Amino acid sequence: MRLPVRKAPGKPSPVAANVEPEALGARGTARRDAMLAAALDVFLEYGYEGASIEEVMRRVGGSKASLYRYFGSKEGLFGDIIVARCDEFMQGFKVPAQADDDIEATLTALARFLVTMFLDRKRLELFRIMIAEMPRFPALAQRFYEYGPARGRKLLGDYFRRQHEAGRLICPDPEFTAVQFIEMVKANPQHRALLGFEPFLPGRNAAQHIAGVVSLFLHGCARRPDSR
């Protein structure tokens, strides 16, 4: 079964959407957003299999026909929730458009945002549900990747490319560099949180984790030739 996919900026979409948000008008957009908010809570409470369209409409009011008109199916509804959360993430991912002078401050601010978002309780639970459903709905995996990780990688990669061109960093493969930074920030805390552990290693907090990642990213572990 394929999920309806809205077109990501600058990318072709393999599946057309039922109703483009731009065509809804203010009232229709508000109605659609209310359905998405109610559906998110239902999926988080019951999981994908246990969630029902009837429960979503009980909370938001109205008929199932309107939900199907907006999203096409339960799978389409879940896919649009993923896209909405990715859009929310990208709106807050404030990467400088120029090669600024204080790279450490910029990376610290970005790392702080990443830690906050990736450890958000609702995002963690939605991630669990999404990973469980991806084998059945491969289009969902593609949709999530295009709207989320790929956009973040490109945006941060452009920043690293500008810093490379300015001579402040050495990163001839800027998108690879972007992936490494993002994973250094979020991988271990997110994995620990998904397993029910405290996100950070014993004796460390978020600020210490971020400072350690930024320092390691900028300076590495190699011993300088002139060091003793």
Side-chain angles (χ1 to χ4, degrees), residues 45-175:
E45 289 178 32
Y46 297 99
Y48 184 85
E49 283 297 325
S52 68
I53 298 300
E54 290 79 6
E55 177 62 18
V56 173
M57 297 315 298
R58 185 188 70 78
R59 298 186 183 196
V60 77
S63 67
K64 292 191 294 183
S66 61
L67 185 143
Y68 287 125
R69 182 170 66 86
Y70 287 128
F71 306 106
S73 64
K74 179 179 175 179
E75 297 84 6
L77 173 61
F78 188 67
D80 271 17
I81 289 173
I82 299 299
V83 169
R85 300 296 278 182
C86 288
D87 286 344
E88 179 186 54
F89 179 94
M90 292 306 301
Q91 288 170 11
F93 194 45
K94 304 295 186 183
V95 179
Q98 305 298 327
D100 56 345
D101 294 329
D102 198 340
I103 302 174
E104 183 174 358
T106 294
L107 294 183
T108 298
L110 291 174
R112 191 177 298 117
F113 172 78
L114 291 171
V115 165
T116 300
M117 296 299 279
F118 281 113
L119 295 184
D120 175 76
R121 183 186 61 79
K122 285 188 175 183
R123 286 183 179 276
L124 284 169
E125 188 56 38
L126 186 62
F127 187 71
R128 288 190 182 98
I129 297 170
M130 181 178 62
I131 292 299
E133 296 305 320
M134 279 183 175
R136 290 200 301 147
F137 305 121
L140 175 61
Q142 178 183 357
R143 191 175 189 186
F144 165 69
Y145 190 78
E146 289 185 356
Y147 276 88
R151 290 166 69 190
R153 182 197 70 219
K154 177 66 167 59
L155 191 62
L156 186 56
D158 286 345
Y159 173 75
F160 287 141
R161 175 182 53 77
R162 290 188 288 269
Q163 293 292 10
H164 177 78
E165 292 170 351
R168 297 191 181 98
L169 291 177
I170 301 174
C171 46
D173 189 346
E175 290 199 16

